[in-house]
Amino acid sequence: MTEEIMLGKRNFKIGRKPYVMGILNVTPDSFSDGGSYTDLDKALKQVKKMIDEGADIIDVGGESTRPGHVKISVQEEIERTCFVVEAIKEHFEIPVSLDTYKWEVAQAGIIAGVDMINDIWGLKWDDRLANIISKHKVACCLMHNRQQATYCDFLKEVVSDVEESINIALTAGIAPDKIIVDPGIGFAKSTEQNLYMLNNLEKIVELGYPVLLGTSRKSVIGNTLNLPVEEREEGTMATSVLGLAKGCSFFRVHDVKANLRALKMADAILKSNG
């Protein structure tokens, strides 16, 4: 069981408290905030706002991963993200994660100062990515995903898929204390499967690695509550609190202040012993 993980210069002690990853999409087409932070000044103001609200990590994304998104070139993704990463590192003392599954983008991001690669394909899209992460000794977040959302035994197969990603990382020489896993809510899963996964998050936690939960404003919340993207904050907070109770350690969200308050309250309740 991993007890702590180093991201940049910061040591995250697993279980000590919930940690919040603030989302910074520098894309024109993300489902929630596309186009909001493509300007550097606006991006840095948003980073400062998230840090002031208590963010522990900033996750920078240069290509939308929403269903039906338009794939962009490696060069365009590098141009969108690397100067933002450099600027964040210049102005703030906070670990930075880069949301990419392409080895060239990851390498450029690491050179720019990235502390973790957040891969929505769990090292299965590009077989060179694991070696880049290992070579530079940065951390990685391995998300569950698959090309076809077809399952015979859903939960068992999700756990097995995540174990495969972990084995790819370990085989490439990535240290166990540099690995975070993510159940991939909203990826290769129906609304019903997403809800079932949320109700069984402990199965991912039991693999022994810190778990990151990313549900912020996602369709499972919209479909369940019949709400548009801009009205999914309470639903996100509910999933964050549930995730904490199930053993998750990191929470990737758009609304840092609201989620952190909910998580702190839940953490106090869970740790109370009379």
Side-chain angles (χ1 to χ4, degrees):
M1 180 71 71
T2 300
E3 296 183 355
E4 55 186 52
I5 186 167
M6 286 292 295
L7 298 181
K9 298 176 182 177
R10 183 168 175 189
N11 186 14
F12 291 80
K13 295 188 181 296
I14 306 307
R16 187 182 135 200
K17 67 168 198 167
Y19 299 105
V20 171
M21 172 187 280
I23 299 169
L24 183 72
N25 285 320
V26 289
T27 61
D29 59 344
S30 287
F31 81 98
S32 176
D33 53 3
S36 298
Y37 309 115
T38 51
D39 174 82
L40 182 59
D41 287 340
K42 288 181 180 178
L44 290 176
K45 284 178 182 176
Q46 178 65 6
V47 171
K48 184 179 187 307
K49 177 175 180 285
M50 291 192 288
I51 292 172
D52 290 346
E53 291 177 350
D56 300 286
I57 310 164
I58 301 297
D59 188 50
V60 177
E63 178 180 272
S64 174
T65 54
R66 63 181 173 81
H69 72 281
V70 176
K71 291 192 186 306
I72 60 172
S73 70
V74 165
Q75 191 56 39
E76 185 173 359
E77 191 174 343
I78 289 171
E79 289 171 0
R80 284 183 185 180
T81 56
C82 286
F83 80 103
V84 175
V85 170
E86 289 172 351
I88 294 171
K89 283 296 188 178
E90 182 181 345
H91 290 87
F92 307 104
E93 286 282 339
I94 190 166
V96 176
S97 166
L98 181 60
D99 188 348
T100 189
Y101 52 89
K102 302 167 188 171
W103 77 268
E104 303 100 325
V105 179
Q107 181 163 268
I110 293 166
I111 292 169
V114 160
D115 304 296
M116 180 167 78
I117 300 300
N118 184 10
D119 179 11
I120 65 165
W121 287 102
L123 302 178
K124 296 177 184 179
W125 182 275
D126 190 329
D127 58 12
R128 291 164 290 187
L129 181 54
N131 291 327
I132 293 296
I133 293 168
S134 175
K135 175 184 174 183
H136 293 281
K137 294 181 169 56
V138 295
C140 59
C141 182
L142 310 178
M143 196 191 80
H144 175 263
N145 204 349
R146 52 165 58 183
Q147 297 278 7
Q148 301 295 327
T150 53
Y151 304 88
C152 294
D153 187 334
F154 172 73
L155 191 57
K156 183 178 179 181
E157 289 180 45
V158 170
V159 172
S160 177
D161 288 351
V162 175
E163 287 178 320
E164 285 178 6
S165 290
I166 293 168
N167 288 333
I168 292 169
L170 295 175
T171 300
I174 298 171
D177 62 358
K178 291 290 188 183
I179 298 171
I180 296 173
V181 295
D182 178 343
I185 301 301
F187 290 81
K189 299 171 188 68
S190 66
T191 295
E192 292 73 21
Q193 288 168 338
N194 281 313
L195 291 171
Y196 188 64
M197 187 71 254
L198 285 166
N199 198 28
N200 289 275
L201 288 168
E202 68 275 8
K203 298 299 184 183
I204 304 297
V205 174
E206 287 167 4
L207 292 173
Y209 295 86
V211 176
L212 180 145
L213 183 63
T215 59
S216 191
R217 304 179 185 173
K218 286 186 175 176
S219 62
V220 61
I221 297 167
N223 293 340
T224 303
L225 302 178
N226 193 27
L227 290 173
V229 168
E230 64 273 12
E231 293 184 34
R232 298 176 186 172
E233 185 175 327
E234 299 94 342
T236 301
M237 291 161 63
T239 61
S240 293
V241 168
L242 177 73
L244 182 68
K246 294 280 189 177
C248 297
S249 303
F250 296 89
F251 302 85
R252 183 180 181 272
V253 299
H254 297 87
D255 306 294
V256 171
K257 181 166 66 175
N259 279 275
L260 185 55
R261 285 179 176 177
L263 285 163
K264 282 182 176 179
M265 189 66 218
D267 194 43
I269 294 168
L270 292 166
K271 288 178 178 170
S272 65
N273 55 17

